[in-house]
Amino acid sequence: MNRFDGVKVLVTGAGSGIGRATALRLVSEGAAVFAVDLSREGLAETASASASGPGRIVGRVADVADEGAVIATVDAAVAELGGIDVLVNVAGMHRTTPIGRLTVADMKRLFAVNTIGTALFCREALPHLPDGSGVIVNVASSAASHGNPYMTAYAASKGAVLGFSLSLAAEVAHRGIRVVPVSPGSVATPLAGPQVLPPDLDTSYYGRIRAPFGTAEPEQIAGVIAFAASRDAAYLTGAELRADGGSHI
Ligand SMILES: NC(=O)c1ccc[n+]([C@@H]2O[C@H](COP(=O)([O-])OP(=O)(O)OC[C@H]3O[C@@H](n4cnc5c(N)ncnc54)[C@H](O)[C@@H]3O)[C@@H](O)[C@H]2O)c1
């Protein structure tokens, strides 16, 4: 018996990293996954990697920051899957910028993708989620609650995801719908690669962070997301799951 047999899941950011690993994990456990991403190539790679799973996957290109695209995407997912049981918001972007170089354009895009994109998918999916078993998992970040230099705007956008998720959990609890923010620490994906750190910054701070369990593979975060989305977590809502390999103990 797979945990996600017959479960219909919409996953954003499924064209790379944590979102791809999550889509693959859910398909391997029987889910029907509607995978969303900006990258057509990324979605195609995810779909071909999932070919042997017992579940199935359908991809759609969309910008999560585009309200019209989000509305159309949720409609398409409902039509394709016959409903949505679980929403997993993973799509996100990162900018590493010292405070003196922060631009309004950078801040607006970070919030548009990370925060507003997440909020729009929640708003649009909620009318379709079943009372008593619907689940939303929103990927925040350990940066939402722990300071990191040059990450002010990113951290603010993720802190907003965390706060949004906790309040949403309170708002929809009467329907028996769970909302779980998952906050990864450092994960080996393109988003966290060295290219996101401008070369002239003092990065010695990062060298001092000790993660006893090292950097995560995306599959390790996918495992936490799958748990949060499953019936194994039926009593879990409105609580952050921080999966950071012990970086802050
Ligand atoms: N990698 C880390 O260390 C880390 C740590 C904490 C939190 N996170 C969060 O995890 C999530 C996934 O990141 P990842 O590390 O897998 O990175 P990634 O770059 O591998 O994947 C992000 C995916 O989101 C997609 N995306 C970006 N903007 C989009 C948009 N506007 N519309 C649709 N899709 C969009 C990208 O195309 C990409 O496929 C992000 O929300 C990120 O902030 C990552």
Side-chain angles (χ1 to χ4, degrees):
M1 181 67 183
N2 291 306
R3 282 190 302 183
F4 289 93
D5 275 341
V7 178
K8 304 153 196 146
V9 188
L10 193 161
V11 182
T12 74
S16 177
I18 297 167
R20 170 178 293 156
T22 300
L24 296 179
R25 174 66 184 260
L26 296 174
V27 169
S28 79
E29 293 201 44
V33 171
F34 196 87
V36 179
D37 205 285
L38 267 183
S39 166
R40 187 175 301 282
E41 299 71 32
L43 285 173
E45 260 184 66
T46 305
S48 67
S50 76
S52 59
R56 67 186 179 97
I57 192 162
V58 182
R60 181 182 173 101
V61 175
D63 181 349
V64 302
D66 176 339
E67 184 173 17
V70 174
I71 292 169
T73 297
V74 170
D75 285 350
V78 170
E80 172 67 35
L81 304 180
I84 302 173
D85 300 307
V86 176
L87 167 67
V88 185
N89 280 302
V90 188
M93 60 173 290
H94 195 9
R95 294 258 163 81
T96 312
T97 319
I99 187 69
R101 289 187 225 155
L102 210 52
T103 66
V104 170
D106 278 353
M107 287 188 279
K108 281 189 171 165
R109 186 65 186 159
L110 278 165
F111 273 82
V113 174
N114 293 350
T115 313
I116 297 175
T118 296
L120 288 174
F121 267 100
C122 291
R123 186 191 75 189
E124 291 305 310
L126 265 165
H128 302 285
L129 295 187
D131 290 1
S133 62
V135 186
I136 295 175
V137 180
N138 290 333
V139 172
S141 167
S142 60
S145 53
H146 292 83
N148 293 284
Y150 319 127
M151 286 198 197
T152 50
Y154 174 77
S157 74
K158 289 297 189 173
V161 170
L162 178 58
F164 175 90
S165 303
L166 300 181
S167 281
L168 184 62
E171 187 167 331
V172 299
H174 71 282
R175 287 182 54 193
I177 290 177
R178 300 188 296 110
V179 183
V180 183
V182 169
S183 290
S186 182
V187 189
T189 71
L191 177 137
Q195 68 280 5
V196 301
L197 285 171
D200 59 326
L201 298 184
D202 172 7
T203 55
S204 57
Y205 169 87
Y206 294 102
R208 293 197 300 275
I209 297 179
R210 291 281 170 263
F213 289 8
T215 298
E217 292 303 323
E219 291 72 20
Q220 293 177 292
I221 306 303
V224 175
I225 293 171
F227 161 70
S230 76
R231 293 294 297 164
D232 288 338
Y235 197 59
L236 177 71
T237 190
E240 178 189 26
L241 293 183
R242 181 158 54 79
D244 66 357
S247 307
H248 299 285
I249 51 178

